Amino acid sequence: FAFFDQDNGKFDSKNHSECPEKINHVCLLKSGFSLLDANFFNDTKMLEIEKGAKELNIPVGRANRKLVAGDNGGLHNPSSLVFNSAWTYDNAVHGSEKFSYPSRSGVYRPKTEEDIAFMSVLELGQLIKTQQIKSEELTGIFLKRLKRYSHVLESVVTVTEELAYKQAKEADQLLAKGVYLGPLHGIPYGLKDIIAVPHYKTTWGSTSFKHQVLDIEAWVYKRLKSAGAVLVAKLVSGSLAYDDIWFGGRTRNPWNIEEYSTGSSAGPAASTSAGMVPFAIGSETAGSITYPAARCGVTALRPTFGTVGRTGVMSISESLDKLGPFCRSAADCTIVLDAIRGKDPDDPSSRRIFLDDPFSVDITQLTVGYLEDAEMEVVHVLESMGVKVIPFKLNYTVDSAQGILNFTMDVDMLAHFDEWQRSSKDDEYEAQDQWPLELRRARVIPAVDYFQAQRARGKLIREIRESFKVDAFVGNATDWEKVCVGNLVGMPVIVVPTGFTKISDPPSNTRRRTTITTGIYAPPDHDHIALALAMAYQSVTDHHKQRPPIDDLGPDDSIRYPPEAVTPPRQLRG
């Protein structure tokens, strides 16, 4: 047995007095290398690697951390490795600069605030434009609802009342001068609390950051402010954008108060569903738009990767994170998307994507596939409207999409929260089987394996592109394989409510129900196709107009008001 003598650079098999200590050291090295799946090195090579790591790898790594990893959250110093989700690289301009919104004549103010709260953005915009209601009054209606239901649903972090009234008054003053900024002029909304707004806490849903105030104006907030929208609340994000558990509790589903919302965009989904805001902005890395939208029965769009800039937003993965709207309808999603899309100069992965106008798409010219798990009512409705529908299957040979996503998401997240882990702040995290466990595991993913995962991701993207022979397809929006594939590819999907089923073992006379939804998927840069199909479906159905029973759970329901906490199994969705 030979040992490497670091002092003279030679291997010595005769120095028996040091043998026990060196044998133990080599055994420890072998254990470490086995964690990296690199135990094919012999003892000599492992000791050489250890020497090289001490001389080069560790000093370089520490120097880089000192340069860019002092702050958590990935708000600064984005990676120079930029993911582009486009399937073609034609620089020619196609599509519309801005969409042409349909006129909503004959919209009149309802008698009750409840009815006002569940109007669409287009309808509310018409009330403001025709001065049937002022933004300041409308803002007051939603502020009251936020305060009334926030403790029930645990969906609100901060009510931005002072800012909301200031922005509402400004919207009213502009309109009085004849200046109308468009359909979001004076419309209240909420932001997921990973999106920074100056002078207000941006907690990222985490105990570690619950007092954090960032002097940053997120790009998406700037866009909405310039459109005249009124921020009324910072809405719950699951802790560090993982699932629905946060430092203040766990967000609930308005349709079934004993059930949780799932997904880290829990606050935007639950608050929109309950009529606490007309729309909200959430985010998705791996299911955090699709899951809570499906659970809470709202229409929501996960747009093409790169459509919406992310400056001022906590980052999990710079090649996976996306911002998108939660709304009452696909038409509302279209309006909000139009306001927030565009090139963010400080987000290298954002792009100026020219979409065709969804309001002008001729759906009779489209071929739409349907998967085995599609809600066939949607397929039949679209077919009756002139859409060509065919059975469809996405064919690809890459069988490790879930593993590719986990490698990508976890390593990127650890790069953004390196200091958090090194300082043991992960010990105070709200659910130890979530980020703490995943990021400890990510610490020993070798760089070469991370890049092999990106090569496998590239192969998956090429195979999906070759297989996508339809204009769009209909399928389950919460199937985990499709969530992983869709996010790795960067393809858009809109979640559409399609009906309800009874809850299991319901109390008598309850109005609690389980929502049914489906997804309409389109190729990257073709969000307008998914939006147009969803708008067509919703033009002849009313599932998206139903209201959850948060004021009328039923006389025999066991739940109290506010509800007691219960702890069903967690659903782990990043």
Side-chain angles (χ1 to χ4, degrees), residues 128-349:
I128 287 177
K129 186 177 182 181
T130 57
Q131 300 187 45
Q132 297 181 59
I133 192 170
K134 290 186 179 296
S135 176
E136 190 172 357
E137 182 186 357
L138 186 63
T139 296
I141 290 172
F142 284 103
L143 287 170
K144 281 191 288 185
R145 292 184 68 84
L146 285 161
K147 294 173 184 178
R148 175 173 173 79
Y149 298 116
S150 62
H151 69 288
V152 179
L153 297 177
E154 298 181 8
S155 63
V156 181
V157 180
T158 305
V159 176
T160 58
E161 185 167 359
E162 183 179 352
L163 176 64
Y165 277 126
K166 177 177 178 291
Q167 292 181 342
K169 288 177 182 177
E170 290 171 353
D172 289 334
Q173 289 167 359
L174 281 175
L175 196 58
K177 296 175 182 177
V179 178
Y180 181 65
L181 299 176
L184 295 184
H185 188 123
I187 304 295
Y189 74 99
L191 290 174
K192 183 176 179 178
D193 199 32
I194 62 170
I195 301 171
V197 175
H199 312 301
Y200 286 93
K201 291 188 293 185
T202 301
T203 70
W204 301 340
S206 167
T207 298
S208 300
F209 303 97
K210 66 181 181 180
H211 301 300
Q212 173 178 253
V213 177
L214 299 170
D215 188 23
I216 301 172
E217 199 170 47
W219 191 83
V220 68
Y221 170 63
K222 289 181 183 178
R223 297 287 288 186
L224 289 167
K225 188 167 66 170
S226 68
V230 175
L231 179 66
V232 290
K234 301 291 293 297
L235 303 174
V236 163
S237 166
S239 185
L240 301 185
Y242 194 128
D243 206 43
D244 53 15
I245 300 171
W246 61 294
F247 69 83
R250 194 170 187 186
T251 304
R252 296 178 177 274
N253 172 16
W255 280 102
N256 182 359
I257 206 73
E258 289 187 335
E259 190 174 60
Y260 296 108
S261 61
T262 81
S264 69
S265 296
S271 298
T272 304
S273 175
M276 296 158 69
V277 288
F279 75 93
I281 303 298
S283 70
E284 171 155 329
T285 307
S288 286
I289 288 177
T290 53
Y291 273 88
R295 174 63 61 86
C296 297
V298 295
T299 305
L301 174 70
R302 182 189 76 205
T304 295
F305 177 84
T307 302
V308 183
R310 302 166 305 180
T311 297
V313 180
M314 191 207 93
S315 178
I316 292 178
S317 170
E318 289 163 42
S319 71
L320 291 169
D321 296 343
K322 295 159 290 294
L323 299 175
F326 289 78
C327 299
R328 308 232 182 285
S329 68
D332 286 0
C333 284
T334 303
I335 291 165
V336 177
L337 179 67
D338 200 27
I340 63 177
R341 67 189 176 114
K343 174 63 181 173
D344 174 356
D346 296 317
D347 178 359
S349 65

Side-chain angles (χ1 to χ4, degrees), residues 96-101 334 337-338 341 355-359:
S96 307
E97 280 280 354
K98 297 294 289 183
F99 302 153
S100 299
Y101 310 120
T334 303
L337 179 67
D338 200 27
R341 67 189 176 114
L355 302 173
D356 288 340
D357 187 343
F359 294 108

